[in-house]
Amino acid sequence: MELKVVRLTQWVNRALRVGLIGLFVGGGLALLATGGSAWGEGGTPVPGQVINGAHRAQDEGQRIYEKANCVGCHKWHGDGGGGYGGAALSLRGTQLSRDQIVEVVHCGRPGTGMPHFDRDAYKEYGCYSGITAQDLGKDLPPDAATFLRPKEIEKVVDYVLEHIKGKGPTSYQDCIDFFGDSSRACEVYKNRSTGSQATGREAKQ
């Protein structure tokens, strides 16, 4: 009986050592993988432009824009329209102020498919001068698939204001700013800027 206990103890010790080695190695690899990254709220890595040929968000605002799937309806360039996840207004052409955009992201747009990204919208967070979920009924905006913290909402709105709103037609520079210099997705914009006859539809696919 004592022999069995000793063997069991030895086996557990070996398993713990292997587990700890794996933990240290895995943690080291994770640090190497994000070594060129900055760090956001809660230790979230904020990637640089391109790492190992893969697209990485350039700043935290863009990262949140992608994380929240704003690209699903507004698309990466913010011009909206049909396709992807639905039809959305153009963020490039919007006339809304910063405060108005912040409220729309917090609260969504009643009667449309624009979701609210604040978990507490229409509860602790007052929306549109105190309108309630009961007031809206079936026009209550849907929940976002990914809720955002208030600071994240501020950052994604600032990203829209700096890189999208009022920027005119989508350009080659916009594309490489978003995807990085190595992205082939931007070639259609480059060709168009040098006299290509690519259509607007081709350019925004």
Side-chain angles (χ1 to χ4, degrees):
M1 182 66 179
E2 288 184 5
L3 182 60
K4 288 183 179 181
V5 171
V6 170
R7 287 180 177 173
L8 179 60
T9 301
Q10 290 173 342
W11 182 87
V12 169
N13 288 336
R14 281 197 299 269
L16 285 172
R17 283 197 298 271
V18 170
L20 286 171
I21 291 170
L23 181 63
F24 287 128
V25 171
L29 290 174
L31 284 173
L32 288 174
T34 58
S37 300
W39 295 89
E41 295 176 12
T44 304
V46 182
Q49 190 169 7
V50 176
I51 296 178
N52 297 328
H55 161 61
R56 305 297 294 271
Q58 293 187 81
D59 60 38
E60 191 164 8
Q62 181 182 331
R63 180 188 66 79
I64 298 165
Y65 188 85
E66 297 185 60
K67 165 190 168 182
N69 196 32
C70 302
V71 296
C73 295
H74 295 286
K75 305 181 185 178
W76 70 264
H77 42 67
D79 218 9
Y84 296 161
L89 295 178
S90 171
L91 298 176
R92 300 183 83 84
T94 184
Q95 297 301 308
L96 296 179
S97 68
R98 183 184 187 277
D99 288 345
Q100 289 172 323
I101 298 174
V102 166
E103 185 165 43
V104 168
V105 179
H106 273 283
C107 301
R109 290 183 72 106
T112 74
M114 172 68 186
H116 64 88
F117 286 88
D118 188 330
R119 187 186 303 274
D120 295 322
Y122 305 98
K123 300 171 187 173
E124 285 83 359
Y125 185 90
C127 293
Y128 304 116
S129 301
I131 194 169
T132 67
Q134 289 72 26
D135 293 333
L136 290 172
K138 62 181 180 60
D139 289 329
L140 182 70
D143 290 352
T146 301
F147 288 118
L148 300 176
R149 297 187 297 274
K151 286 185 179 179
E152 290 180 311
I153 292 175
E154 298 278 338
K155 286 179 180 177
V156 76
V157 170
D158 287 338
Y159 168 76
V160 168
L161 294 175
E162 183 177 352
H163 297 282
I164 299 176
K165 182 184 175 184
K167 299 301 181 184
T170 308
S171 68
Y172 175 68
Q173 186 63 50
D174 293 329
C175 191
I176 63 173
D177 284 348
F178 191 90
F179 291 107
D181 291 327
S182 64
S183 175
R184 293 183 180 179
C186 299
E187 288 301 310
V188 67
Y189 293 97
K190 186 176 183 179
N191 294 337
R192 186 176 64 178
S193 68
T194 56
S196 170
Q197 296 301 311
T199 66
R201 180 179 177 183
E202 291 170 335
K204 291 185 180 179
Q205 286 179 346

